[in-house]
């Protein structure tokens, strides 16, 4: 039995509080000890994620980041400090992680996660944690994990909102939710929109918790957690494979990692139809589409009592629970928008319909409540 296959008395004491948790024990702790985790980005999300994973006893960690520690990083990137300003983030991170867990084995990848090394790195590790802040690397990580059959835990944050995605092989990938890489110029970044360090802490810590859950076998489905720290809300959306997904669907078009597919503003491998029908549309976009010459079909999946309280006039009511038996009423050949009260139930229905082959269906973010606030205040709120 090697040292990786048992715990010493020192380790039993070190991890005693978490080993008492249901489903952990010595077996769970050994799974963490034998795990090889690759952290992409030693920044605002990678910092708390890596620190908690190191502290929890993950045995081997790779850190991929090509940047150096900058003064503007320090309010949120808690792996680094004033004494490591100007150093490569990989080296700064390794120092901090070794301090919190001297037993951790660390591999540095100061070249970052690139098209050239992505496949090899994804194959070498058991799980990839993506805390990077650019779409090219995010989609590269997503596709590399699908191709290598490795789980991916992804996090992103903007202002006071964040999301944590857990994507297990064969259970729905990042592109099942966001099929096409957006134009980088169309989406604000933390650099221009701002972000609280504490929000990064919440999201990065949540990522670490999900990594641990995956490693000890407590996750069986892909899922997305949507977190709003300012509003004090978090909701979980269970994901399934989108049959039209370009990475893991029935007829995937992404079969290798091509440099041209991960340029910041282009994504030639993504089918055009998917970009025209994103998984979710904003309430403003929904209003624009519904007022257009060829409006989409709008379906309300709330309960009849909610529909009676208020409704968006043109919406057809099909309560969520009755969607499976009323599929014939939902057209497959025209664009369809699904809405509910706040956007949670309708996102699940949208996922369900996509899994049934509806490629033109999109969820209305924020639901009728957002409609009341941003489009038509005459629609009653409840
Ligand atoms: Zn997919």
């Amino acid at each position: 039995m090697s040292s990786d296959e048992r715990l010493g008395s020192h380790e039993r004491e070190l991890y005693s509080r978490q080993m008492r948790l249901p489903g952990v024990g010595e077996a769970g702790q050994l799974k963490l000890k034998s795990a090889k985790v690759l952290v992409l980005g030693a920044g605002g999300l990678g910092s708390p994620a890596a620190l908690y994973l190191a502290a929890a006893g993950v045995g081997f960690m790779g850190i991929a980041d090509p940047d150096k520690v900058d003064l503007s990083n320090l309010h949120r990137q808690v792996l680094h400090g004033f004494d490591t300003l100007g150093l490569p983030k990989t080296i700064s991170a390794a120092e901090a992680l070794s301090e919190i867990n001297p037993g951790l084995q660390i591999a540095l990848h100061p070249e970052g996660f690139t098209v050239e090394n992505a496949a090899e790195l994804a194959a070498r590790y058991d799980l990839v944690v993506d805390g990077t802040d650019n779409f090219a690397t995010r989609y590269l990580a997503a596709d590399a994990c699908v191709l290598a059959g490795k789980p991916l835990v992804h996090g992103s944050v903007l202002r006071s909102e964040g999301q944590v995605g857990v994507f297990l092989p064969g259970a729905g990938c990042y592109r099942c939710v966001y099929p096409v890489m957006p134009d980088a110029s169309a989406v604000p970044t933390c650099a221009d929109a701002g972000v609280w360090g504490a929000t990064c802490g919440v999201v990065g810590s949540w990522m670490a918790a999900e990594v641990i859950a995956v490693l000890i076998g407590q996750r069986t489905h892909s899922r997305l957690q949507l977190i709003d720290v300012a509003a004090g809300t978090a909701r979980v959306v269970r994901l399934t494979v989108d049959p039209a997904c370009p990475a893991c669907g029935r007829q995937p078009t992404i079969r290798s990692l091509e440099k041209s597919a991960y340029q910041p503003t282009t994504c030639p491998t993504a089918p055009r139809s998917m970009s025209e029908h994103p998984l979710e549309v904003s309430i403003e976009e929904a209003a624009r589409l519904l007022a257009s010459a060829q409006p989409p079909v709008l379906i309300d999946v709330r309960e009849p009592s909610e529909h009676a309280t208020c409704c968006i006039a043109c919406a057809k009511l099909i309560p969520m629970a009755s969607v499976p038996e009323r599929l014939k009423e939902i057209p497959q050949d025209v664009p369809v928008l699904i809405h509910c009260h706040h956007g949670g139930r309708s996102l699940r229905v949208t996922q369900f319909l996509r899994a049934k082959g509806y490629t033109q269906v999109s969820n209305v973010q924020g639901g009728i409540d957002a409609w009341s606030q941003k489009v038509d205040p005459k629609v009653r709120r409840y």
Side-chain angles (χ1 to χ4, degrees):
M1 187 179 267
S2 77
S3 62
D4 281 348
E5 293 169 322
R6 61 176 186 265
L7 296 176
S9 59
H10 172 74
E11 290 171 300
R12 285 178 209 281
E13 184 178 346
L14 178 57
Y15 304 119
S16 60
R17 298 299 191 273
Q18 67 190 36
M19 285 171 65
R20 285 178 201 166
L21 289 166
V24 184
E26 179 148 347
Q29 194 61 49
L30 282 169
K31 285 178 184 168
L32 296 180
K33 186 178 181 181
S34 64
K36 293 184 173 181
V37 171
L38 175 62
V39 177
L40 308 183
L45 300 176
S47 286
L51 282 166
Y52 275 112
L53 291 172
V58 165
F60 191 104
M61 194 183 299
I63 306 286
D65 196 317
D67 292 338
K68 291 184 172 154
V69 180
D70 181 83
L71 187 61
S72 67
N73 300 151
L74 299 187
H75 83 116
R76 67 191 186 284
Q77 302 187 11
V78 293
L79 270 172
H80 317 297
F82 282 89
D83 57 338
T84 58
L85 277 175
L87 283 182
K89 285 187 181 176
T90 47
I91 291 175
S92 173
E95 287 180 8
L97 294 168
S98 296
E99 203 156 306
I100 204 163
N101 193 336
L104 174 68
Q105 297 181 66
I106 304 174
L108 305 185
H109 304 290
E111 69 281 16
F113 191 72
T114 67
V115 173
E116 288 75 22
N117 68 12
E120 190 252 321
L121 287 181
R124 199 196 301 176
Y125 288 86
D126 300 317
L127 182 151
V128 176
V129 186
D130 176 23
T132 56
D133 59 359
N134 69 84
F135 285 110
T137 309
R138 189 174 299 173
Y139 278 80
L140 177 63
D143 295 342
C145 284
V146 169
L147 292 171
K150 297 296 173 69
L152 169 72
V153 173
H154 145 88
S156 65
V157 68
L158 193 69
R159 300 191 183 96
S160 71
E161 295 178 32
Q163 66 177 37
V164 177
V166 178
F167 305 103
L168 303 180
C173 77
Y174 185 78
R175 281 195 195 263
C176 289
V177 188
Y178 304 106
V180 179
M181 186 161 69
D183 183 336
S185 63
V187 182
T189 67
C190 290
D192 47 41
V195 65
W196 287 112
T199 304
C200 294
V202 170
V203 174
S205 301
W206 199 319
M207 290 164 71
E210 290 299 327
V211 171
I212 290 167
V214 172
L215 292 176
I216 65 174
Q218 292 186 337
R219 288 286 173 272
T220 53
H221 300 97
S222 292
R223 64 187 219 177
L224 195 62
Q225 282 98 199
L226 306 167
I227 303 151
D228 187 333
V229 174
T233 60
R235 63 191 174 97
V236 180
V237 181
R238 181 171 157 172
L239 304 176
T240 54
V241 173
D242 181 344
C245 175
C248 76
R250 288 204 187 109
Q251 293 180 310
T253 53
I254 299 168
R255 297 178 178 279
S256 61
L257 304 174
E258 304 297 332
K259 191 155 194 161
S260 58
Y262 305 99
Q263 301 303 316
T265 56
T266 59
C267 192
T269 51
R272 183 174 165 76
S273 64
M274 293 302 291
S275 64
E276 289 172 353
H277 303 286
L279 183 72
E280 295 195 284
V281 297
S282 68
I283 200 70
E284 293 86 356
E285 176 67 2
R288 189 189 69 76
L289 291 169
L290 290 166
S292 67
Q294 289 185 309
V297 172
L298 180 64
I299 292 175
D300 180 354
V301 295
R302 295 175 301 155
E303 296 303 305
S305 60
E306 295 176 276
H307 189 75
T309 302
C310 61
C311 63
I312 301 173
C314 50
K316 177 184 181 71
L317 177 67
I318 304 181
M320 183 168 76
S322 60
V323 167
E325 68 210 37
R326 294 176 62 181
L327 275 182
K328 284 182 183 161
E329 297 175 48
I330 304 173
Q332 242 176 324
D333 52 350
V334 296
V336 175
L337 294 181
I338 309 288
H339 90 80
C340 64
H341 190 196
H342 289 117
R345 279 172 284 176
S346 52
L347 183 56
R348 288 170 63 187
V349 170
T350 302
Q351 274 281 328
F352 171 79
L353 291 172
R354 287 191 167 223
K356 293 285 181 190
Y358 286 75
T359 56
Q360 301 189 52
V361 60
S362 301
N363 177 45
V364 178
Q365 285 176 342
I368 196 169
D369 197 52
W371 185 273
S372 304
Q373 295 183 70
K374 296 180 178 172
V375 179
D376 184 1
K378 292 195 295 294
V379 171
R380 195 179 136 197
R381 295 186 69 197
Y382 64 100

